[in-house]
């Protein structure tokens, strides 16, 4: 192991360095690069930061960005909470609800029209 | 409020007011139990990445406003039945990265507003039938990275609102008939990285709204015919399986398909009609299906932009191919047995054409006519002995032409003025020297003989060096010239290229001496341009 890499690390890190934070994570955690000023440090999380979604693979767990109109998502194409100004419907963020549905401005979702 | 400042903020935690409710972050504090003095106005509570192994029975009973509870990244192996009682407002519950071996069904019984439940990265192998009975609002369920060996069919019968679910990274080996029959709202289903070998013919019945199905990295032996009932499917993946054939009318039930990923399957056979009537499909990649003898009939698949059909046995391209594919931008047909090319003139949007490693012997006047967007043609490793003088005349966007290893004796230059990359090595009969004016924008040139590179630089200076070969006697001017000349011939260009790498190469060159041309083979001590003297 490289001399600057220490084993005694915080939180979910498996290996880390003073300058770069986590270099690798304990199993089943998500490795994320956080920007602090000009520096990027590695952190290991049990869930991806807001605006990102996680995908688990046998050898690595990755975080990737949701779409621009989405705050939190299940996958890139399936949003679970839209950004303000958009209504959520079946995983999509819409500026206007489809015909047959009405916009609920409290939940910011498209809901069935209640007669 | 600063940590610990207000009485309702547990020690060490970080609390923030959001209107009348409170966000409390107690993550990564080494806690071994849930703090007791939590404010009743807590709406968001993060206890993730601590050392909590047990939850007290009514730890959260007074948190009526709690909407999001994060308990991920702890050591919870079981959850008492009343642990979450009273959480009527709870929408998001995160229990991933713990030690649960079964679904805490009792604890989940009374969460009427729960929408998102994360149980991924646990050790769950048992899913009792009534696990999700009380969760009528549940939309998103994560059960990936657990120890499931079968689809929890009965438990999944009670989730009418479920829209997205992942069962990836388990040990599921079979999908029985009607496995998901009550999940009529499901839009996304991930089953990648399991051991699925077999799939009931009615395995996906009931999934009327499914748009994304991920079966990648499994052990399927047969094409998943059960997909025929998925009328709204848009994204399908079954790459990295053991499927050998894609049958006729394979996707007849999926007219909305936009992407199909099925690479890394030992596919030998593809039905002629397999990819018909897919008007939304924009990419189709088939590599190594050696049993394919004929170009597929793509009737009704009119939005295809990228078609990759390599390493098969295609020997003929149908005349009407381009009529079926008006949107085609990239056509990659390398490593087939194509001898004769039709006219591509109806492929009006074609930008890249890969025909390397075929048996093409001539290029006619109409082969590439009117392809105004065509930027790159790879015809290397064929048997081309004749190119019609007007073959390239209308190709105003052409920048890359690869004719390596053919049987050319001459190269028609009309229409090639815009080339930045030209590769002609392996055409021994092509001995004519080129004039610099023929290729004013040339950057990377590969030619059969070294002397043909001399047209692009002051070879005389080079000869003085090459005749003397005593670097020490070089005068400063010679040395500078020598350095510039070497830079002029830095050696063989990478004969594998792709668009991005080359653009980068162009930028690098721009920043160096203005403008250098990378020409090879570069004349040198063992290739002292001898041909140069013979031909002058």
């Amino acid at each position: 192991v490289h001399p600057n890499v220490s084993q005694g690390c915080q939180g979910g890190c498996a290996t880390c360095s003073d300058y770069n934070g986590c270099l690798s994570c304990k199993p089943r955690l998500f490795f994320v690069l956080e920007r602090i000023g000009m520096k990027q440090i590695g952190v290991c999380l049990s869930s991806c930061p807001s605006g990102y979604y996680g995908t688990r693979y046998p050898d690595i767990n990755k975080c990737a960005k949701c779409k621009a109109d989405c705050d939190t998502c299940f996958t890139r194409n399936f949003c679970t909470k839209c950004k303000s100004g958009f209504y959520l419907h079946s995983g999509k963020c819409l500026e206007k609800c489809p015909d047959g549905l009405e916009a609920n401005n409290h939940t910011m979702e498209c809901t069935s029209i209640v007669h | 409020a600063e940590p610990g400042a207000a009485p309702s903020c547990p020690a060490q935690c970080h609390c923030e007011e959001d209107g009348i409710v409170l966000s409390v972050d107690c993550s990564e504090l080494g806690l071994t139990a849930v703090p007791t003095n939590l404010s009743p106005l807590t709406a968001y509570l993060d206890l993730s990445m601590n050392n909590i192994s047990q939850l007290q029975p009514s730890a959260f009973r007074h948190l009526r406003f709690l909407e999001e509870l994060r308990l991920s990244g702890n050591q919870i192996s079981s959850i008492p039945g009343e642990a979450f009682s009273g959480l009527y407002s709870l929408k998001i519950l995160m229990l991933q990265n713990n030690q649960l071996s079964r679904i805490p069904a009792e604890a989940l019984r009374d969460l009427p507003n729960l929408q998102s439940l994360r149980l991924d990265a646990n050790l769950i192998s048992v899913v009792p039938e009534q696990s999700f009975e009380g969760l009528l609002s549940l939309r998103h369920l994560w059960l990936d990275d657990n120890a499931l060996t079968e689809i929890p069919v009965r438990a999944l019968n009670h989730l009418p609102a479920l829209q997205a679910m992942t069962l990836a990274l388990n040990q599921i080996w079979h999908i029985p008939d009607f496995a998901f029959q009550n999940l009529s709202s499901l839009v996304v289903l991930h089953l990648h990285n399991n051991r699925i070998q077999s799939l009931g013919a009615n395995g996906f019945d009931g999934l009327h709204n499914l748009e994304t199905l991920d079966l990648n990295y499994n052990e399927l032996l047969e094409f998943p015919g059960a997909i025929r009932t998925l009328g709204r499917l848009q994204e399908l993946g079954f790459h990295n399986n053991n499927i050998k054939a894609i049958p006729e009318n394979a996707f007849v039930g999926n007219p909305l398909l936009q992407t199909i990923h099925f690479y890394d399957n030992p596919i030998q056979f593809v039905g002629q009609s397999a990819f018909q009537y897919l008007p939304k499909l924009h990419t189709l990649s088939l590599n190594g299906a050696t049993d394919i003898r004929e170009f597929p009939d793509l009737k009704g698949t009119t939005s295809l932009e990228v078609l990759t059909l390599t390493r098969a046995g295609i020997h003929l391209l149908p005349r009407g191919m381009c009529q079926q594919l008006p949107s085609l931008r990239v056509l990659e047909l390398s490593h087939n047995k194509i001898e004769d090319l039709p006219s591509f003139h109806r492929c009006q949007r074609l930008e890249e054409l890969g025909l390397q490693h075929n048996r093409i012997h001539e290029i006619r006047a109409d082969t590439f006519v009117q392809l105004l967007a065509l930027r790159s043609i790879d015809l290397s490793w064929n048997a081309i002995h004749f190119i019609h003088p007007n073959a390239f005349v209308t190709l105003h966007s052409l920048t890359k032409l690869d004719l390596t290893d053919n049987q050319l004796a001459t190269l028609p230059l009309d229409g090639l003025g815009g080339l930045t990359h030209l590769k002609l090595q392996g055409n021994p009969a092509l001995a004519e020297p080129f004039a610099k004016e023929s290729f004013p924008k040339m950057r990377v040139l590969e030619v059969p003989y070294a002397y043909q590179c001399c047209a692009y630089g002051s070879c005389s200076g080079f000869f003085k060096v090459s005749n003397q070969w005593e670097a020490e006697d070089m005068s400063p001017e010679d040395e500078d010239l020598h350095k510039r000349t070497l830079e002029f011939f830095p050696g063989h260009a990478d004969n594998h290229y792709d668009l991005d790498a080359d653009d980068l190469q162009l930028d690098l060159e721009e920043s160096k001496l203005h403008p250098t041309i990378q020409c090879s083979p570069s004349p040198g001590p063992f290739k002292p341009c001898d041909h140069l003297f013979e031909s002058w």
Side-chain angles (χ1 to χ4, degrees):
Chain A
V1 179
H2 191 276
N4 288 343
V5 172
S6 63
Q7 299 293 303
C9 305
Q10 288 283 330
C13 295
T15 57
C16 57
S17 79
D18 294 341
Y19 190 76
N20 293 107
C22 296
L23 302 176
S24 64
C25 296
K26 289 175 184 169
R28 305 172 115 186
L29 293 178
F30 293 93
F31 180 80
V32 178
L33 278 176
E34 271 183 8
R35 184 183 295 278
I36 297 177
M38 288 294 289
K39 228 170 90 174
Q40 275 194 327
I41 64 159
V43 291
C44 297
L45 305 172
S46 57
S47 48
C48 295
S50 190
Y52 290 77
Y53 68 96
T55 305
R56 292 183 185 278
Y57 291 101
D59 42 9
I60 187 170
N61 300 307
K62 288 193 269 192
C63 295
K65 252 181 175 306
C66 301
K67 282 188 176 173
D69 52 15
C70 177
D71 258 343
T72 60
C73 63
F74 188 90
T75 64
R76 184 169 167 74
N77 290 329
F78 191 90
C79 190
T80 54
K81 181 170 177 281
C82 296
K83 285 216 159 89
S84 66
F86 294 91
Y87 297 100
L88 178 65
H89 175 59
S90 264
K92 295 182 178 53
C93 295
L94 309 173
E95 288 180 353
K96 195 168 80 69
C97 289
D99 295 343
L101 296 173
E102 65 184 358
N104 179 324
N105 286 306
H106 173 59
T107 61
M108 288 309 287
E109 295 185 0
C110 301
T111 51
S112 307
I113 296 172
V114 180
H115 296 294
Chain B
E2 281 315 304
S8 56
C9 187
Q12 305 173 61
C13 301
H14 183 82
C15 300
E16 273 186 22
E17 285 160 12
D18 180 7
I20 62 162
V21 294
L22 210 55
S23 281
V24 180
D25 182 355
C26 307
S27 62
E28 296 199 70
L29 297 175
L31 300 178
T32 56
V34 176
T36 51
N37 58 332
L38 288 161
S39 158
L41 297 176
T42 304
Y44 171 95
L45 175 57
D46 187 351
L47 291 163
S48 62
M49 303 294 279
N50 279 298
N51 299 322
I52 300 169
S53 54
Q54 283 191 335
L55 297 177
Q56 299 82 350
S58 300
F60 311 104
R61 175 175 292 282
H62 58 303
L63 304 182
R64 296 190 170 277
F65 295 100
L66 191 63
E67 291 195 2
E68 182 164 346
L69 174 56
R70 297 188 172 208
L71 286 161
S72 53
N74 280 283
Q75 281 102 48
I76 300 167
S77 54
S78 65
I79 298 177
E82 312 78 45
F84 302 132
S85 57
L87 295 179
Y88 299 115
S89 304
L90 195 65
K91 288 185 177 175
I92 297 171
L93 176 57
M94 291 193 181
L95 289 164
Q96 72 267 29
N97 291 86
N98 275 291
Q99 312 290 318
L100 295 168
S101 55
R102 60 183 292 127
I103 301 274
E106 283 303 312
L108 299 174
R109 181 172 297 286
D110 198 12
L111 298 170
N113 286 299
L114 193 67
Q115 293 182 2
S116 290
L117 175 58
R118 292 199 60 169
L119 289 161
D120 44 314
N122 275 280
L123 310 167
I124 295 169
S125 57
V126 176
V127 182
E129 176 170 354
Q130 72 288 3
S131 291
F132 309 121
E133 255 171 20
L135 305 180
L136 299 179
S137 303
L138 194 68
R139 297 179 182 178
H140 322 120
L141 176 59
W142 288 260
L143 275 166
D144 50 324
D145 199 359
N146 274 290
L148 299 177
T149 53
E150 58 184 30
I151 306 274
V153 176
R154 282 194 295 275
L156 293 178
N157 268 336
H158 308 290
L159 291 165
L162 196 66
Q163 295 180 0
M165 174 169 68
T166 175
L167 296 166
L169 274 89
N170 279 285
Q171 283 102 54
I172 297 166
W173 62 277
H174 172 64
I175 299 177
D177 278 340
F178 313 108
F180 309 103
Q181 65 179 334
N182 281 0
L183 299 181
S184 55
S185 300
L186 203 65
V187 175
V188 176
L189 175 56
H190 284 187
L191 289 159
H192 61 84
N193 292 95
N194 272 285
R195 297 189 183 147
I196 299 169
Q197 291 171 7
S198 55
L199 165 55
N202 303 98
F204 295 132
D205 283 23
L207 296 172
H208 310 305
N209 282 292
L210 199 70
E211 294 179 6
T212 299
L213 175 59
D214 183 338
L215 289 164
N216 302 323
Y217 296 105
N218 273 289
E219 296 162 15
L220 283 169
L221 298 164
E222 304 280 339
F223 175 79
I227 66 167
R228 78 186 174 286
T229 60
L230 305 177
R232 290 184 167 224
L233 198 60
Q234 297 178 22
E235 261 181 283
L236 173 62
F238 54 93
H239 65 70
N240 291 86
N241 273 276
N242 297 320
I243 295 165
K244 297 183 180 54
I246 296 186
E248 297 289 354
N249 303 309
F251 306 102
V252 68
N254 320 108
L256 302 183
L257 269 174
Q258 295 175 19
T259 61
I260 313 173
H261 296 300
F262 53 92
Y263 51 86
D264 288 347
N265 274 288
I267 289 173
Q268 304 299 309
F269 170 78
V270 174
Q272 263 295 89
S273 62
F275 293 99
Q276 284 182 341
Y277 302 111
L278 296 171
K280 302 265 188 185
L281 190 67
H282 41 74
T283 301
L284 174 53
S285 297
L286 262 163
N287 302 298
T290 50
D291 283 5
I292 294 181
R293 292 281 176 269
E294 288 178 54
F295 192 83
D297 181 346
L298 296 168
K299 200 167 27 225
T301 300
T302 48
S303 300
L304 209 60
E305 293 183 22
V306 179
L307 173 57
T308 301
L309 224 169
T310 66
R311 298 178 193 283
I314 294 172
H315 54 277
L316 187 68
L317 298 181
R319 297 281 148 208
M321 181 185 82
C322 283
Q323 269 114 311
Q324 288 187 343
L325 305 169
S327 308
L328 205 59
R329 283 189 307 101
V330 177
L331 178 58
E332 174 58 56
L333 294 169
S334 61
H335 293 278
N336 278 287
K337 300 185 173 73
I338 301 166
E339 296 175 12
D340 186 51
L341 294 178
S343 171
F344 291 98
H345 77 279
R346 287 185 189 277
C347 287
Q348 285 293 300
R349 294 188 189 163
L350 199 58
E351 294 172 9
E352 292 174 34
L353 181 55
L355 291 162
Q356 62 272 34
H357 289 283
N358 276 284
R359 299 174 183 167
I360 301 161
H361 41 78
E362 72 168 359
I363 305 294
R364 293 192 303 275
D366 68 343
T367 303
F368 303 129
V369 72
Q370 290 305 327
L371 298 181
L372 306 181
L374 191 57
R375 286 187 282 107
S376 162
I377 306 176
D378 190 339
L379 287 162
S380 59
W381 302 92
N382 276 282
I384 301 171
H385 57 80
F386 171 72
I387 299 180
H388 189 281
N390 296 331
F392 305 125
V393 165
T394 58
L395 304 185
H396 304 317
S397 305
L398 193 64
T399 56
K400 289 188 170 71
L401 176 60
D402 191 340
L403 286 161
T404 303
D405 270 86
N406 276 284
Q407 296 158 19
L408 292 170
T410 65
L411 175 70
L413 301 182
D414 284 350
L416 298 184
L419 285 185
T420 58
H421 295 69
L422 174 59
K423 300 188 175 186
L424 297 168
Q425 285 184 342
N427 290 278
L430 188 60
E432 63 189 82
F434 299 107
K436 197 172 174 181
E437 297 67 32
S438 307
F439 308 114
K441 297 182 182 170
M442 189 57 68
R443 288 289 176 276
V444 176
L445 179 60
E446 288 180 13
V447 285
Y449 301 102
Y451 70 83
Q452 290 166 312
C453 278
C454 293
Y456 285 85
S458 53
C459 273
S460 54
F462 174 77
F463 292 131
K464 208 157 65 176
V465 167
S466 67
N467 287 346
Q468 294 164 357
W469 289 121
E470 284 86 25
E472 311 79 36
D473 297 348
M474 265 197 265
S475 64
E477 301 79 25
D478 288 345
E479 193 159 316
D480 177 49
L481 176 68
H482 178 68
K483 236 183 254 157
R484 276 198 292 116
T485 306
L486 283 184
E487 202 150 81
F488 189 54
F489 306 116
H492 288 281
D494 174 10
N495 54 25
H496 168 73
Y497 65 86
D498 70 40
L499 292 179
D500 298 344
D502 254 336
D503 294 343
L504 179 66
Q505 181 69 26
L506 291 181
D507 296 342
L508 283 176
E509 280 175 5
E510 294 297 342
S511 64
K512 284 197 291 185
L513 284 176
H514 174 72
T516 55
I517 289 161
Q518 208 177 292
C519 188
S520 60
S522 51
F526 302 106
K527 284 175 279 181
C529 291
D530 45 8
H531 287 280
L532 182 64
F533 299 110
E534 283 160 23
S535 62
W536 274 4

